[in-house]
Amino acid sequence: MTRHPFDAPDIPGAERTLSTPPKTPAYIRLKAQIYDDLAERLSARALERQPAERVNEVVKQACEAAIARQSPMVKPPEREMLLDDLMSEFLGFGPLDPLLADPTVGDIMVNTCDEVYVEREGLIELTDVRFNDEKHLLRVVQRIAEKVGRRIDAAHPLVDARLPDGSRVNAVCPPIAVDGVQLSIRKFAHVPFDLDRLVANQTMPRGCADLLSNVVKAKLNILISGGTGTGKTTLLNAMSRAIGTRERIVTIEDAAELQMQQRHVVRLETRPADLNGQGRVTQRDLVVNALRMRPDRIILGEVRAGEAFDMLQAMNTGHDGSMTTVHANTPRDALARLEQMVGMAGIDIPLRTVRSQIASAIDLVVHLRRMVDGSRRLVTIQEIVGMEGDVVTIQELLRYDQVGVGLDGKVQGRFVSTGLRPRFYEKFGVNNLPMPKDLAAIAR
């Protein structure tokens, strides 16, 4: 298969910075002319026939020959820039390569051919990356789709997939994209976050990290909630490191992002329907199947629909220590969303029964929020303690109180304890885990 930036970081041009030299209209026209000259002989199908170790050299030789044919008088600096750009076009993802190679970039958002944004440290900024035109952008997006065995065109205008390195990609094109091709890439973290790194970047204090590590070891069922981009999957990955190496873990995801560090892990991923509408495998199918695989823990990347019912059943039938995430603005909203998703399972269950299932299945809700300065913080840890009438009762144990914003634009605040004693300390005792007498000490 053709190599690209996700599995061949040594592609020429991939290490260039975002501030590339200005490229004149004449340069852009020349590059397009040379590309058209090469497009047929360097098609993806033609390159796939080459041995993997020969692909780079074949492309480089063809590009050098085309440059010599089309513009023999081009100066050396421009020749090098042309070679880099053309190599990137055929082996990588063109103008996106520098962004993909930049470790400070978390998300890439292409709105139009001349409007490309990135997210760094939680903040969105406009880059100077540009595509030649809409046709150029569509060509790059189609190459990305080809890498994951998909197609994108007017008949199939949407692609949602995982790239070979684990990065998430979503692309849409006309007619459903009114203003032209749109592309979003959430890059994959090659070095998984652990709780120590989350403490270092001030997502939480050390005491909170130790507490979360111990609740995982005590096999509490945990729901991580928060809005889009708040770091739910990052925290789930970090907390999962506390799972014992002798436990059998089954992970279930819509697109695989979890990075378990244990050896005994079974990874399951959903599958969309094919072009004939056949072969779809949903998260609910996978949760039901996982129960037959003798799991010690089931980790569901994100609960979205009817699989919520099956996940609650698993938590209530001996699969302690299971974890999942949900999009929600508050812990109470997270429980309300679970209720709604259980209803999506198509099973007629009284609301009080659903709430009773939630109260008995989930032990802890950990909530994250993206702050105004772009930072992601753990803002509350709440324990589910039972039912009062028809209402699930929860008690807040720890919370982050924001006191203001500093002159540098950074959020200022502190973690505080509510003074309540967690009921899960009983499980700490059974598992010989330390039980802090004062949660206020944990918050510091």
Side-chain angles (χ1 to χ4, degrees), residues 134 138 152-158 172-182:
E134 185 74 7
L138 178 60
I152 182 167
D153 50 34
H156 304 89
L158 188 151
V172 291
C173 74
I176 65 171
V178 178
D179 298 320
V181 179
Q182 309 279 312

Side-chain angles (χ1 to χ4, degrees), residues 172-209:
V172 291
C173 74
I176 65 171
V178 178
D179 298 320
V181 179
Q182 309 279 312
L183 174 68
S184 301
I185 298 175
R186 172 161 289 183
K187 289 173 60 179
F188 183 77
H190 292 281
V191 180
F193 272 78
D194 56 20
L195 290 172
D196 289 338
R197 286 185 66 189
L198 295 181
V199 171
N201 67 16
Q202 300 184 329
T203 297
M204 67 186 77
R206 166 53 58 190
C208 283

Side-chain angles (χ1 to χ4, degrees), residues 276-341:
N276 298 315
Q278 304 297 315
R280 184 183 181 209
V281 179
T282 67
Q283 285 201 136
R284 189 171 186 198
D285 297 329
L286 296 179
V287 173
V288 171
N289 188 76
L291 296 174
R292 305 180 183 126
M293 301 177 72
R294 198 258 174 227
D296 289 309
R297 301 190 194 228
I298 297 175
I299 298 182
L300 182 58
E302 180 185 341
V303 62
R304 296 180 176 180
E307 67 272 4
F309 172 77
D310 303 285
M311 188 70 187
L312 292 175
Q313 295 301 304
M315 290 177 170
N316 275 318
T317 54
H319 298 91
D320 295 335
S322 296
M323 295 187 282
T324 188
T325 73
V326 65
H327 277 79
N329 293 324
T330 68
R332 178 62 70 180
D333 287 346
L335 301 185
R337 287 212 65 210
L338 283 183
E339 291 178 19
Q340 295 169 355
M341 288 184 283

Side-chain angles (χ1 to χ4, degrees), residues 206-247:
R206 166 53 58 190
C208 283
D210 293 340
L211 179 68
L212 292 179
S213 177
N214 285 333
V215 298
V216 173
K217 293 174 183 176
K219 303 196 74 171
L220 271 64
N221 292 324
I222 301 166
L223 178 65
I224 300 173
S225 63
T228 301
T230 53
K232 299 184 295 297
T233 302
T234 298
L235 179 59
L236 182 57
N237 271 322
M239 291 175 63
S240 71
R241 289 196 167 203
I243 297 175
T245 57
R246 302 181 70 176
E247 297 184 61

Side-chain angles (χ1 to χ4, degrees), residues 15-187:
E15 293 78 18
R16 286 178 290 165
T17 64
L18 300 187
S19 299
T20 54
K23 296 175 182 177
T24 65
Y27 173 89
I28 293 173
R29 287 194 299 272
L30 175 60
K31 189 182 78 169
Q33 181 180 338
I34 297 174
Y35 180 90
D36 291 340
D37 179 30
L38 288 168
E40 185 63 32
R41 71 190 73 190
L42 290 180
S43 66
R45 182 172 297 179
L47 291 176
E48 285 176 0
R49 291 196 292 265
Q50 295 288 337
E53 64 275 9
R54 283 272 300 150
V55 170
N56 274 30
E57 188 59 32
V58 167
V59 172
K60 184 177 180 180
Q61 290 176 357
C63 289
E64 288 175 335
I67 293 171
R69 282 195 306 273
Q70 297 287 340
S71 187
M73 302 303 292
V74 67
K75 296 179 181 179
E78 193 173 40
R79 179 185 296 273
E80 288 300 315
M81 192 160 62
L82 272 171
L83 181 60
D84 281 352
D85 282 352
L86 289 167
M87 290 282 286
S88 183
E89 290 290 340
F90 285 103
L91 294 176
F93 297 143
L96 296 179
D97 283 349
L99 301 179
L100 293 167
D102 188 340
T104 68
V105 171
D107 286 84
I108 302 169
M109 295 149 281
V110 182
N111 289 356
T112 65
C113 60
D114 56 1
E115 193 174 280
V116 180
Y117 291 86
V118 296
E119 182 194 54
R120 283 192 179 88
E121 298 181 354
L123 299 177
I124 294 176
E125 61 186 66
L126 179 66
T127 73
D128 59 2
V129 172
R130 301 289 183 270
F131 292 84
N132 297 347
D133 49 32
E134 185 74 7
K135 180 181 176 182
H136 183 200
L137 171 56
L138 178 60
R139 188 170 69 229
V140 171
V141 170
Q142 288 175 332
R143 186 178 301 118
I144 292 174
E146 289 171 1
K147 296 293 183 185
V148 293
R150 308 284 177 84
R151 57 184 285 194
I152 182 167
D153 50 34
H156 304 89
L158 188 151
V159 169
D160 187 53
R162 175 173 56 88
L163 291 169
D165 80 325
S167 297
R168 289 288 306 275
V169 60
N170 179 273
V172 291
C173 74
I176 65 171
V178 178
D179 298 320
V181 179
Q182 309 279 312
L183 174 68
S184 301
I185 298 175
R186 172 161 289 183
K187 289 173 60 179

